[in-house]
Amino acid sequence: MPALLTVSRLIDAISQFMGKLSEYMVLACCLISAANALIRYSFNYSSNGWLEIQWYLFAFIVVLGAAHTLRMNEHVRVDLIYGAVSEKARIWIDIIGLVVFLIPACIFLTWLCWPFFLSSYLQHEVSANAGGLIRWPVKLVLLLGFGLLTLQGLSELIKRIAAVTGYIRIDTTYEKPLQ
């Protein structure tokens, strides 16, 4: 179990780095958006490339930040039962959810993204919009994002199993979003 927990910490560190990178991408997206608007209204000039880089960055933020969100236990969940049961029951709910839903779905989506990316890369796919960008980087990020989410799911599974067996103690508290 100690070796698996070391692997889990390594995956967590990668997810944390990607989460921090995603935070900087939010700033970049805001700056590009503001600059694009300023140039468009000041000089009556615009480019589809500037618009596309904004949605590329948004995709990067969401897809690469997903593993960090899972690591921080801030992902969306249905709280019908989770908040009303004991910590041990929450750990078992997490284990079942990870094994039955998250990890298989992420493996499948990663597998589906590979030919989607590879085809785009080999064909040098470019946006159909005038001044548009190459498409393979955003498709690569889908592949990397689902791969990283798969790894983070495995990390969370390792931590939950370690908690059930008494190696570590984890915090399973979940704060309902304000609505």
Side-chain angles (χ1 to χ4, degrees):
M1 188 53 70
L4 288 174
L5 287 169
T6 301
V7 170
S8 175
R9 283 191 292 277
L10 176 64
I11 294 168
D12 287 352
I14 294 168
S15 293
Q16 183 177 9
F17 173 78
M18 296 310 277
K20 187 56 84 175
L21 183 63
S22 293
E23 290 173 8
Y24 286 111
M25 286 184 194
V26 170
L27 176 62
C29 195
C30 291
L31 293 173
I32 290 169
S33 179
N36 189 31
L38 182 69
I39 291 169
R40 184 177 51 227
Y41 291 114
S42 298
F43 303 106
N44 199 27
Y45 174 78
S46 185
S47 166
N48 287 328
W50 287 107
L51 297 173
E52 288 184 11
I53 196 67
Q54 289 175 56
W55 75 259
Y56 276 31
L57 283 170
F58 184 71
F60 295 176
I61 292 162
V62 171
V63 174
L64 295 178
H68 177 65
T69 303
L70 178 61
R71 183 183 72 82
M72 298 298 295
N73 198 32
E74 294 180 358
H75 55 287
V76 175
R77 66 170 80 238
V78 179
D79 192 35
L80 297 173
I81 301 169
Y82 199 82
V85 297
S86 69
E87 187 170 313
K88 189 171 186 176
R90 279 187 235 139
I91 292 171
W92 278 106
I93 289 170
D94 287 345
I95 289 171
I96 292 166
L98 289 164
V99 170
V100 174
F101 298 110
L102 182 80
I103 294 171
C106 287
I107 290 170
F108 181 64
L109 289 168
T110 304
W111 179 74
L112 285 178
C113 286
W114 173 250
F116 184 62
F117 155 72
L118 189 60
S119 171
S120 180
Y121 180 77
L122 293 175
Q123 294 174 10
H124 305 288
E125 183 182 5
V126 178
S127 170
N129 298 321
L133 303 176
I134 56 175
R135 289 281 191 229
W136 69 262
V138 77
K139 293 180 180 184
L140 175 62
V141 166
L142 282 172
L143 177 69
L144 296 176
F146 284 121
L148 184 58
L149 192 55
T150 302
L151 289 176
Q152 189 59 47
L154 291 171
S155 173
E156 296 303 314
L157 181 61
I158 290 167
K159 289 184 274 190
R160 297 314 187 273
I161 292 171
V164 165
T165 57
Y167 276 92
I168 63 170
R169 180 163 161 71
I170 59 172
D171 183 16
T172 60
T173 55
Y174 175 71
E175 191 173 314
K176 284 185 184 180
L178 299 174
Q179 297 177 3

